[in-house]
Amino acid sequence: MGRFRLLGGAAAAALLFAPGAVRAQDASAALEARIAQLEAELNSLKSEVAAARTQQTTQSQAMAQDIIRLEARPAATPPAPAAPREEGFRIGDHTVKFGGFIKVDASASRYSGGDPANGDLLRDYHLPGSIPVGGADEDTAMDFNARQTRFWLTTDGLVGGHKVGARLEMDFQSLPGTGDQRITSASTPALRRAFVTIDNWLIGQEWTNFQNTAVLPESADFVGAAEGTVFARQVQVRYTRGPFSIAVENPETTVTPFGGGTRVIADDNSLPDLTARYAVSRPWGDLQFAGLLRQLKYENPASHIDDTATGWGLSASAKLKVGAQDDLRFMLSGGEGVGRYLGLNFSNDAVLDASGQLDAVGVIAGFAAYRHVWTPGWRSSLIWSAQKVDNDVLLTGTGANRSAQSLHANLIWSPVTAFDVGAELMFADRKLESGLDGDMTRLILFAKYGF
């Protein structure tokens, strides 16, 4: 009886705990399934990582091989720089260029020794030998003109292995044309320069080899330092080698008659003028030395005059840098029988004596100019120029030019490239051997555009 009760109790306990055991068994099975799933996912992730590493290694090996191949190639040629923009245009073997400028002047002038006639070149630019002397002082005269306007054309090329070039240049700064200031203010075109160059040779009309145009001061006037500068353009044959040049140039002799009188332009020379020049260029500036040797000749069968003499001249000029932008320019020239080369023929080359023989006239001339840049686009030049003639008054008379000088001060503004506007105040005087003198005070306003 007791045994049955024990068995019944055990059975009852088994029945009581049977659901919990079932649930524990189910949880264990789920846990095992989840673990198996995680293991599968981990193995898959390991496979993906291994594949990625293999691919990365393959790519790295390929990149290394590419780098090796690239390094083995020759270095790439750098792109050629852009060709500079060419100016001008081609005609056959030559490059042709043209340019120039348009310049308009307005001047107000006052003369102490008389008023020059309408159309006189002195009304347009400073001509030292034309300043009136001995006359009456007159009121200020105003003149407008555009006659300094200039045009040039050049060619450059290689022909048969030779460097060949040419230049043609014209302006309107000559005697008036058919019109005047009443209607058209016409001016006659004038030849300035016309030459051809072949290698080291120049043939044609050009600035005399005795001149140094690079040192001419910047001025509102056509010449500026007129009294003190060498100034001549003429036909010549010139040879240049490095800094040295030599030329034979068109001869001409200007003569003062015995006792004075109207200038004689002889046109009787049988030998060309000979010029030589040596130029030196250094970082601090430029120097030039020039010499002139010439024949003076005058022949007049009616007066039984037939004589020759020798003329000579020396000139030194320089442009020296002062600071970063300023410069000092000067020229000193002198000699005997070189009057037509200096100061726009302020003095004659020679004078006739009582027997009809030529006597060379001595002269010395020079200028100094300082150019200062105030700010970009603004600049000024202060210019002094002078000439002194060594006349034999017994031969020339007292009406010959003795001396001339001028002083200039200007202010020039360039608001845009190649366009200048400015003002210049100048004072100039002229003296004769007689003691008579005259002066000119002039204000010049101008506008100039280069193209």
Side-chain angles (χ1 to χ4, degrees):
M1 189 72 181
R3 179 183 299 174
F4 287 115
R5 282 194 296 268
L6 181 60
L7 291 173
L15 291 173
L16 180 64
F17 289 103
V22 171
R23 286 194 297 272
Q25 185 176 3
D26 291 341
S28 177
L31 180 60
E32 291 178 355
R34 179 58 177 166
I35 290 172
Q37 181 181 0
L38 290 175
E39 288 179 348
E41 291 177 354
L42 180 60
N43 290 333
S44 176
L45 183 60
K46 287 181 179 179
S47 299
E48 291 178 0
V49 170
R53 287 179 177 176
T54 301
Q55 183 179 5
Q56 184 177 8
T57 300
T58 303
Q59 291 177 348
S60 298
Q61 292 174 349
M63 289 178 63
Q65 292 175 356
D66 289 340
I67 291 173
I68 292 172
R69 286 194 296 270
L70 287 173
E71 290 178 347
R73 294 176 182 175
T77 303
R85 184 172 63 91
E86 292 188 0
E87 298 181 354
F89 54 93
R90 297 287 296 182
I91 297 181
D93 295 326
H94 295 271
T95 298
V96 180
K97 301 178 184 180
F98 65 90
F101 60 78
I102 294 174
K103 185 170 184 281
V104 178
D105 292 313
S107 63
S109 308
R110 189 180 183 97
Y111 311 91
S112 69
D115 192 27
N118 185 23
D120 193 304
L121 289 178
L122 180 63
R123 302 289 292 260
D124 290 340
Y125 65 92
H126 176 36
L127 191 60
S130 294
I131 296 176
V133 297
D137 188 1
E138 295 194 21
D139 288 339
T140 301
M142 178 164 283
D143 294 282
F144 288 29
N145 79 85
R147 291 166 59 186
Q148 291 184 37
T149 295
R150 188 176 304 172
F151 175 83
W152 56 260
L153 181 146
T154 64
T155 68
D156 290 288
L158 289 175
V159 179
H162 297 279
K163 182 176 174 56
V164 179
R167 184 180 185 96
L168 175 65
E169 183 174 295
M170 304 180 71
D171 67 9
F172 303 87
Q173 196 65 56
S174 62
L175 295 175
T178 55
D180 57 32
Q181 296 183 51
R182 296 178 302 111
I183 303 172
T184 61
S185 296
S187 294
T188 302
L191 180 67
R192 287 174 55 87
R193 304 158 74 189
F195 60 82
V196 60
T197 58
I198 303 176
D199 295 329
N200 295 343
W201 293 90
L202 179 148
I203 304 170
Q205 178 159 307
E206 172 61 313
W207 289 103
T208 173
N209 193 43
F210 191 51
Q211 163 70 309
N212 184 4
T213 57
V215 301
L216 287 177
E218 187 174 25
S219 173
D221 185 70
F222 183 61
V223 181
E227 306 88 349
T229 186
V230 175
F231 194 98
R233 291 188 299 267
Q234 57 198 10
V235 174
Q236 61 194 270
V237 177
R238 182 190 302 181
Y239 179 78
T240 301
R241 187 176 183 85
F244 179 75
S245 58
I246 187 170
V248 289
E249 307 189 18
N250 180 59
E252 187 64 273
T253 303
T254 61
V255 179
T256 301
F258 175 65
T262 304
R263 168 181 289 154
V264 176
I265 302 176
D267 196 25
D268 294 319
N269 292 76
S270 56
L271 293 175
D273 291 355
L274 177 66
T275 62
R277 179 175 62 177
Y278 187 82
V280 179
S281 182
R282 295 291 184 268
W284 42 262
D286 302 296
L287 293 174
Q288 178 175 293
F289 303 94
L292 167 65
L293 183 66
R294 58 191 308 244
Q295 177 196 62
L296 307 177
K297 185 174 182 179
Y298 177 42
E299 183 176 359
N300 186 349
S303 304
H304 305 288
I305 297 173
D306 185 359
D307 193 43
T308 62
T310 300
W312 61 271
L314 297 173
S315 181
S317 56
K319 181 165 69 174
L320 308 177
K321 296 179 181 179
V322 180
Q325 296 178 300
D326 296 0
D327 62 65
L328 176 66
R329 310 178 189 203
F330 70 85
M331 178 182 289
L332 181 64
S333 308
E336 294 185 349
V338 294
R340 80 172 181 90
Y341 281 88
L342 297 172
L344 306 178
N345 205 175
F346 180 72
S347 68
N348 288 326
D349 299 320
V351 59
L352 287 171
D353 64 15
S355 63
Q357 293 185 325
L358 290 173
D359 185 56
V361 176
V363 61
I364 186 168
F367 69 78
Y370 184 76
R371 181 176 180 268
H372 175 66
V373 177
W374 300 100
T375 61
W378 289 89
R379 59 199 181 277
S380 293
S381 289
L382 181 64
I383 308 163
W384 175 76
S385 174
Q387 181 175 154
K388 177 69 172 65
V389 185
D390 184 18
N391 291 305
D392 184 343
V393 180
L394 296 178
L395 301 181
T396 64
T398 59
N401 288 325
R402 183 176 71 187
S403 64
Q405 65 176 342
S406 65
L407 184 66
H408 311 242
N410 59 48
L411 178 63
I412 301 173
W413 176 44
S414 300
V416 297
T417 301
F419 181 63
D420 299 331
V421 293
E424 179 168 315
L425 182 64
M426 65 176 295
F427 175 83
D429 71 67
R430 169 193 175 204
K431 289 182 173 63
L432 305 184
E433 290 292 351
S434 64
L436 288 177
D437 66 355
D439 62 60
M440 175 183 72
T441 303
R442 174 172 289 172
L443 173 65
I444 306 173
L445 306 177
F446 77 94
K448 175 183 174 183
Y449 177 71
F451 56 87

